[in-house]
Amino acid sequence: MALPKVGSIGEYIREQRQQAKISLRQLAAAAGVSNPYLSQIERGLRKPSAEILNQIAKGLHISAQALYVQAGLIEDRETPSDVVAAIRADTHLTERQRQVLIDIYESFRKEKRAEDEQTSQNAHPRSDSVTDDEQPLPKDFLAALEPYAASGDNGTVNQETKEG
């Protein structure tokens, strides 16, 4: 995988910020960086550290891994599944919607891998009486839904009405 040019991470951040309809100042405040520094990143004049990318990802409510891959800090090792390819190819979704769907899908895959590991290690079955339908949602899933919903104390998701 070729490393992207420094400007490409800035372009990607700007695109994500604009799709989220967040001003440069709002994102800078949410990420805990100065307006001029974020502006320099977006214009390709500065290359942010992994920690800054993590803060920016939180401010944009997107996957930090997506920013790390875009910045060339990590390789996107896993080949995309047909589901991820289909989501990315859907022209009716915004980039932000695609990323949320991919994050949700990946969280389910991660959860399934963890279950498979437990099974392969002959782990004891769960002793609680809660069914799968009553289980709290995975943290990755809740984080992906955070911009769109308010979460209850038990991990259930309630629709949040945004007025304004």
Side-chain angles (χ1 to χ4, degrees):
M1 176 177 173
L3 293 179
K5 61 182 181 170
V6 175
S8 68
I9 184 63
E11 292 166 9
Y12 182 77
I13 290 169
R14 176 181 287 143
E15 180 182 295
Q16 293 299 308
R17 177 179 60 77
Q18 289 172 340
Q19 285 183 0
K21 295 184 169 94
I22 300 172
S23 72
L24 186 106
R25 288 183 182 189
Q26 289 171 320
L27 179 56
V33 298
S34 70
N35 295 345
Y37 183 61
L38 182 57
S39 174
Q40 290 172 349
I41 292 170
E42 285 190 355
R43 291 180 287 142
L45 302 175
R46 298 277 184 148
K47 185 172 183 177
S49 68
E51 178 59 33
I52 297 297
L53 286 174
N54 190 39
Q55 291 171 234
I56 291 171
K58 285 180 182 175
L60 289 170
H61 302 291
I62 62 171
S63 163
Q65 182 179 0
L67 282 183
Y68 296 158
V69 169
Q70 194 71 23
L73 296 176
I74 61 172
E75 275 190 41
D76 194 8
R77 291 188 181 128
E78 204 172 295
T79 56
S81 71
D82 290 340
V83 173
V84 172
I87 292 170
R88 287 192 174 133
D90 191 332
T91 58
H92 293 85
L93 299 173
T94 67
E95 183 62 32
R96 183 165 176 76
Q97 290 169 330
R98 287 185 201 115
Q99 189 60 51
V100 169
L101 285 172
I102 290 169
D103 288 346
I104 291 168
Y105 174 69
E106 291 300 331
S107 75
F108 286 145
R109 290 184 63 193
K110 183 178 176 182
E111 186 178 285
K112 178 68 173 141
R113 281 191 299 266
E115 287 175 10
D116 290 346
E117 281 182 25
Q118 263 190 339
T119 303
S120 69
Q121 295 172 358
N122 297 327
H124 297 288
R126 291 191 322 228
S127 60
D128 60 3
S129 62
V130 178
T131 66
D132 284 344
D133 290 340
E134 297 171 346
Q135 288 292 324
L137 296 171
K139 289 181 183 176
D140 293 337
F141 182 79
L142 290 173
L145 291 178
E146 188 175 52
Y148 307 104
S151 177
D153 293 336
N154 63 356
T156 59
V157 175
N158 305 315
Q159 187 173 357
E160 181 179 278
T161 304
K162 294 186 179 182
E163 297 180 16

